[in-house]
Amino acid sequence: MKQLKWRRVVSLSLLLLAAVLTTTGIVLYIAPQGRIAYWSDWHFLGLDKEQLGSIHTTSSFAFVVLGWLHTWYNWKAIVGYLKNKTRQLRVMTPEMIVASVVVTLFVVGTGLSWPPFAQVMDAGAAAKDWWEEREGSPPYGHAELSSLATMAGKLGLEPAAAADALRDLGWVVDDLDASLLDIGHRNDRSPAELYLVLGSVGGDTSSEAIQREAFHPSGLGKRTLAEHCEAEGLELERVQASLTGRGVDAKPGSTLKELAAELGMIPVDVAASLVEDQPSLDEAAEDVSP
């Protein structure tokens, strides 16, 4: 076997990675926002947005490493670019000055929203807004991960009756605890379509449970229990006692995502359950008051 020429391997790898980064970069630039992508089960060439983002990230790391290898292999040529006509080394050659101005312009111009960089970012935002208008928004963050039983309950439907109604319409529903995303995949449909069907069979999409959870902030799962109680006006000690009674070791620094994993729920459902527990906690406090 002919010996590999690693300089060529590096150069060709950079060429292929540039093609990958160009493709994923353009697709992610015009792709819907995460919550819309997950709700509509958006894909490109069979890849969802998270997979595309992962490919873009790892390819970027590879591009950086190979880029420095390319610099090392071509160091003599690069040093030659930094020499004047008398072959004296000068870092700030006319070419280096132009290159520095171009790079600085892109970095500073984007950071300060100068035209045309601001218009480029605005175009990307407009593309994402178009997706939202086309696909619709989820009723709350990561609603696609809610189980059919949970979503039916929020819409005022009996879970079993909702499942029967879906089956009558040709949907395959085997498990009430399966997420909307899983059921959608089983039926080659999106969570958004399933949600609309639930509304069409009698679900109340303006129900209090849905409207309440629609106002939960993004990044809810990253909130610690202490931060959540402070933001929602809940008493930390009493909430901890309630969670302990449900078999959860709830510490002030525990995130809602961690608590949700212990409870077999999603963060938004944990947040809702803490609010629902509050009246019973208030009554219990009154009972022990002198």
Side-chain angles (χ1 to χ4, degrees), residues 46 76 94 97 120 136 139 224 231 273:
K76 288 185 180 180
I97 292 173
V120 170
T224 65
S273 71

Side-chain angles (χ1 to χ4, degrees), residues 17 33 46 55 101 107 111 143 155 179 181 188 206 215 217 233 235 241 245 255 262 265:
L17 282 170
Q33 297 178 19
I55 292 171
V101 169
V107 173
L155 296 175
S179 69
L181 183 61
D188 197 25
S206 63
F215 290 98
E235 190 174 332
T255 64
E262 290 192 54
M265 304 167 69

Side-chain angles (χ1 to χ4, degrees), residues 6-286:
W6 288 104
R7 181 194 297 265
R8 296 182 183 181
V9 170
V10 170
S11 296
L12 292 172
S13 296
L14 284 173
L15 175 64
L16 295 176
L17 282 170
V20 171
L21 289 172
T22 299
T23 302
T24 55
I26 292 174
V27 172
L28 290 171
Y29 173 71
I30 61 175
Q33 297 178 19
R35 59 191 177 87
I36 308 300
Y38 302 137
W39 184 237
S40 62
D41 199 21
W42 178 88
H43 285 74
F44 177 78
L45 297 180
L47 300 170
D48 62 27
K49 187 172 183 180
E50 186 173 355
Q51 291 171 316
L52 284 166
S54 297
I55 292 171
H56 189 79
T57 298
T58 56
S59 297
S60 297
F61 277 112
F63 193 87
V64 169
V65 172
L66 291 172
W68 283 110
L69 274 175
H70 187 268
T71 300
W72 181 69
Y73 276 125
N74 295 278
W75 184 247
K76 288 185 180 180
I78 292 172
V79 171
Y81 299 153
L82 301 177
K83 291 181 178 180
N84 59 19
K85 292 181 178 180
T86 61
R87 306 305 295 169
Q88 293 179 319
L89 184 65
R90 286 184 55 196
V91 175
M92 297 311 293
T93 61
E95 293 78 10
M96 176 61 97
I97 292 173
V98 172
S100 299
V101 169
V102 169
V103 172
T104 301
L105 183 62
F106 270 81
V107 173
V108 176
T110 302
L112 297 179
S113 296
W114 291 347
F117 307 105
Q119 284 69 27
V120 170
M121 300 309 298
D122 289 343
K128 297 184 186 311
D129 289 341
W130 178 84
W131 279 109
E132 185 167 3
E133 292 176 5
R134 181 177 183 269
E135 301 292 345
S137 300
Y140 51 85
H142 289 299
E144 73 280 355
L145 298 180
S146 292
S147 68
L148 175 60
T150 297
M151 182 59 76
K154 295 181 188 303
L155 296 175
L157 296 169
E158 286 293 332
D164 288 340
L166 288 170
R167 294 187 187 105
D168 290 341
L169 293 172
W171 289 70
V172 177
V173 181
D174 297 325
D175 185 0
L176 291 176
D177 292 325
S179 69
L180 270 62
L181 183 61
D182 289 338
I183 295 173
H185 284 167
R186 180 76 185 275
N187 292 272
D188 197 25
R189 309 281 284 277
S190 71
E193 291 176 285
L194 176 52
Y195 180 74
L196 290 175
V197 171
L198 290 174
S200 71
V201 297
D204 182 9
T205 55
S206 63
S207 67
E208 181 180 345
I210 291 292
Q211 293 304 312
R212 180 183 67 226
E213 295 184 34
F215 290 98
H216 278 308
S218 58
L220 183 66
K222 296 179 181 179
R223 272 188 182 179
T224 65
L225 184 60
E227 291 171 343
H228 182 71
C229 288
E230 182 179 357
E232 302 298 329
L234 303 174
E235 190 174 332
L236 176 60
E237 291 77 9
R238 293 163 71 187
V239 168
Q240 283 182 279
S242 173
L243 290 169
T244 300
R246 295 159 67 180
V248 177
D249 182 19
K251 298 181 176 65
S254 300
T255 64
L256 292 195
K257 183 177 181 180
E258 293 169 342
L259 297 174
E262 290 192 54
L263 290 166
M265 304 167 69
I266 59 175
V268 70
D269 285 339
V270 173
S273 71
L274 295 181
V275 175
E276 291 167 358
D277 285 345
Q278 193 63 27
S280 60
L281 291 174
D282 293 336
E283 291 170 6
E286 292 175 0

